[in-house]
Amino acid sequence: MGKTLFEKVWDNHIVDTVDGGQEILFIDRHFIHEVTSPQAFDGIRKRGIGLYDKNRIVATADHNVPTKDQHLPIKDELSRLQVDMLTHNCEEYDIDLYGLGHKNQGIVHVIGPELGVTKPGITIVCGDSHTSTHGAFGAVAFGIGTSQVEQVMASQCLLIQRPKTMRIIIDGELGNGIYSKDIILYIISKLSTSGGTGHFVEYAGTAIRSLSMEARMTICNMSIEMGARGGMIAPDETTFEYIKGREYAPSGQQWEEALAYWSTLYTDEDAVFDKEYVFNAEDIEPMITYGTNPGMGMGITQHLPTTTEVERPDNLLQSLQYMGFTPGASLLNTPIDHVFIGSCTNSRIEDLRIVADYVRGKKKADNVQAFIVPGSKQVEAQAKAEGLHDILLEAGFELRGPGCSACLGMNEDKIPKMEYCVSTSNRNYEGRQGPGARTLLVSPLTAAVIAVEGKVVDPRKYLNEEALA
Amino acid sequence: MEKFSTLLSPAIPLVQENVDTDQIIPARFLKATSREGFGEHLFKDWRFDEQGHPKSDFILNNPEYSGSILVAGENFGCGSSREHAAWALVDCGFKAVVSSYFADIFKGNALNNGLLPVQVSPSSLKELLAAVQSNPMTFIEINLEAQLLRVPEIGIQEHFEINPYKKTCLINGYDDIDFLLSQKEKISAFELKHIEF
């Protein structure tokens, strides 16, 4: 029997199998950031051991860095302490750090691919659940807890139970105005926030093949939002083209050897998945979430579910009460207070281009505060070089420095209580963007159109004739 | 890590499904650099109002309910990988969480901190929640050695699964790092023949 893409990569990293079926999995690349690493460094110190291999670790500061005045000392004392501790730890252990002010600083899941550290066929972990992002390159990449961060620092391995496999096929062509964010929100709305638990997902099908690397990253990024351990897409020409020439990409003879190996990374025809789903791209509308977990999403023209349509009406009511919505209602024309474009899901150059393309020559609505937080210094620089910066500023958007920002509100970028934020991020949990904040997850295009209109609208109605042609 | 032995305790019923780690501990409290002290922020926005006063309608603030077992709705611990969620529960004295389904990363984090995730069938969970809600002094017995959860009063006796290696770790208070450090020779040998482009 053939192997799945996941099995090919996973099996290539098994050091040993121990009693009870747990496997010792070798980890090629370990990303760390300021929030989930201090306790791991502390553990290493207390045990009196060193790092297994400092060269396999890449560090950046992203979760609680300010997005304004990044050149000044961090005002929030606890955030500053945490960021300083990362700097101190990286100095002590001689780890490459892309800290605040560095030209490569940014959200860990944006800079990994951008630097060419993320590659097909490798294993990647990070103390962050959105590590699944890197699976877009055909890597086995997943989030871990701090005890596991310490394990990998100490031994370059994880002791882990092999997940089950799942394939999600999306065939067909996406409609105009529909993006990869809509695909993944659609999948999660169908499978629920726990539908992927215990599984590693492979995304396949003609609709996935046609996507750019940025768009693939958005899909793999949100695998965790259906509970999946990770998500991956088989590498192809699009992948190779993206990697070629990046700072840590192989070159010369090594590039040829890498290509030969990477080209073997696909699911064999006779491989078997534990679970399989097939969806049709033509069925996907622009998506929006209405509730307090990422599974509570719908097509933007649809109506909210009623209490008779769900298994647990009490949970639905609690969630809608938090959001200030009524069962069975439409979200169209709901006034919006904030539009946030950013996060490891949608803060890459392509996302900024989509937004800039739409808002060129337009103005954001007066009732909306719209802000864009690029995923990295490199994205920020490229946006400036392409002139996107000016377009966005003229449209009334505020442009900030890179970081996780309002996705999780660890820094000052919080959404006030009971206010609505249309966000390109990945989680709409209660209080995620600030205590009492109400989050609606959408694609960058939908966010851009809503920023201009000031209320929830179907973005397809606002695309010009030229774009429709 | 503290050794896990048999647990006999009343429980606190949290009926909510899909409890995510942002609820267990909101991101703004993740700025500490040690593992201690997260308990005061456990379920912060459900437990306290903006002035920091306990909300009387939240189950953890109901003095009738106590104990070291949390019985929670399906899909407990989804979302962020923050281990701080497990640390906060342990810091508040919880030794086990019972649910019909756990998110993967939370489950691993709990096991790495001596907090036992006990997965029971959806029907048993429903009965357990009902029993504990109606009688806060319902005692739940969790026997890790026998992998049994028992509530004799309502006739529940259910076997639960746990990885045998993880079980040994919990019973003896070992952690994975001790084990992995003992495997260093194998790991180095693997690395020598491992090709990464």
Side-chain angles (χ1 to χ4, degrees), chain A residues 21-325:
Chain A
Q22 299 236 107
E23 289 168 314
I24 302 176
L25 184 75
F26 190 81
I27 303 302
D28 293 314
R29 288 286 166 259
H30 186 189
F31 294 121
I32 61 170
H33 62 82
E34 75 276 22
V35 177
T36 56
S37 68
Q39 293 88 351
F41 279 111
D42 199 37
I44 293 286
R45 251 177 235 117
K46 281 188 181 145
R47 285 171 201 268
I49 55 175
L51 304 181
Y52 182 93
D53 185 356
K54 71 174 181 72
N55 295 318
R56 293 185 182 273
I57 306 177
V58 176
T60 192
D62 56 4
H63 275 64
N64 67 33
V65 299
T67 55
K68 282 181 182 172
D69 298 326
Q70 287 186 333
H71 59 290
L72 298 177
I74 300 175
K75 282 186 210 150
D76 180 287
E77 194 187 344
L78 290 174
S79 294
R80 190 176 68 241
L81 274 174
Q82 220 173 31
V83 172
D84 285 351
M85 188 164 278
L86 178 72
T87 309
H88 167 81
N89 283 329
C90 288
E91 278 168 5
E92 181 180 337
Y93 289 98
D94 193 21
I95 293 167
D96 282 342
L97 167 67
Y98 300 110
L100 263 188
H102 194 285
K103 69 177 174 53
N104 291 334
Q105 180 265 336
I107 304 175
V108 62
H109 309 311
V110 175
I111 69 167
E114 186 170 83
L115 292 168
V117 175
T118 302
K119 287 180 287 246
I122 66 171
T123 48
I124 300 174
V125 295
C126 173
D128 187 280
S129 61
H130 294 113
T131 308
S132 55
T133 310
H134 308 268
F137 291 79
V140 162
F142 55 93
I144 54 176
T146 297
S147 295
Q148 292 172 306
V149 170
E150 190 181 333
Q151 277 179 45
V152 178
M153 284 177 173
S155 68
Q156 209 54 47
C157 286
L158 278 177
L159 193 58
I160 193 166
Q161 192 76 34
R162 172 185 293 247
K164 291 180 182 154
T165 56
M166 180 189 287
R167 178 160 62 184
I168 299 176
I169 295 175
I170 316 279
D171 276 329
E173 247 179 74
L174 288 174
N176 191 35
I178 322 283
Y179 289 86
S180 67
K181 181 65 164 287
D182 301 306
I183 299 182
I184 190 64
L185 285 173
Y186 177 83
I187 294 173
I188 302 167
S189 77
K190 294 292 176 198
L191 302 190
S192 90
T193 189
S194 60
T197 303
H199 292 76
F200 222 94
V201 179
E202 178 179 346
Y203 302 94
T206 52
I208 301 292
R209 269 300 129 228
S210 67
L211 298 174
S212 68
M213 285 318 294
E214 283 89 346
R216 292 180 190 185
M217 284 189 250
T218 300
I219 292 194
C220 290
N221 171 277
M222 288 189 72
S223 302
I224 182 68
E225 307 311 340
M226 55 177 154
R229 210 66 179 82
M232 59 200 305
I233 294 173
D236 58 12
E237 282 305 319
T238 308
T239 321
F240 309 147
E241 191 55 38
Y242 179 99
I243 298 171
K244 199 171 185 177
R246 292 188 184 263
E247 192 171 340
Y248 291 95
S251 56
Q253 178 60 27
Q254 234 198 351
W255 172 257
E256 297 304 322
E257 285 170 24
L259 268 192
Y261 171 58
W262 295 346
S263 303
T264 66
L265 299 174
Y266 55 84
T267 290
D268 295 329
E269 269 187 33
D270 54 344
V272 177
F273 290 85
D274 294 303
K275 264 191 190 166
E276 201 153 5
Y277 296 94
V278 181
F279 298 106
N280 190 343
E282 278 92 15
D283 293 339
I284 304 175
E285 276 195 81
M287 294 289 294
I288 190 163
T289 61
Y290 56 84
T292 52
N293 73 54
M296 300 174 87
M298 63 180 190
I300 205 157
T301 62
Q302 306 292 305
H303 288 246
L304 270 60
T306 60
T307 48
T308 54
E309 288 166 352
V310 294
E311 264 178 52
R312 290 285 304 266
D314 52 335
N315 283 344
L316 176 72
L317 288 174
Q318 189 182 342
S319 183
L320 293 190
Q321 187 187 6
Y322 179 88
M323 293 299 293
F325 296 145

Side-chain angles (χ1 to χ4, degrees), chain B residues 132-151:
Chain B
V132 176
Q133 275 180 302
S134 63
N135 176 12
M137 287 316 286
T138 304
F139 275 73
I140 298 179
E141 183 191 315
I142 297 172
N143 183 332
L144 177 58
E145 185 61 52
Q147 295 178 229
L148 270 184
L149 176 144
R150 289 178 65 225
V151 188

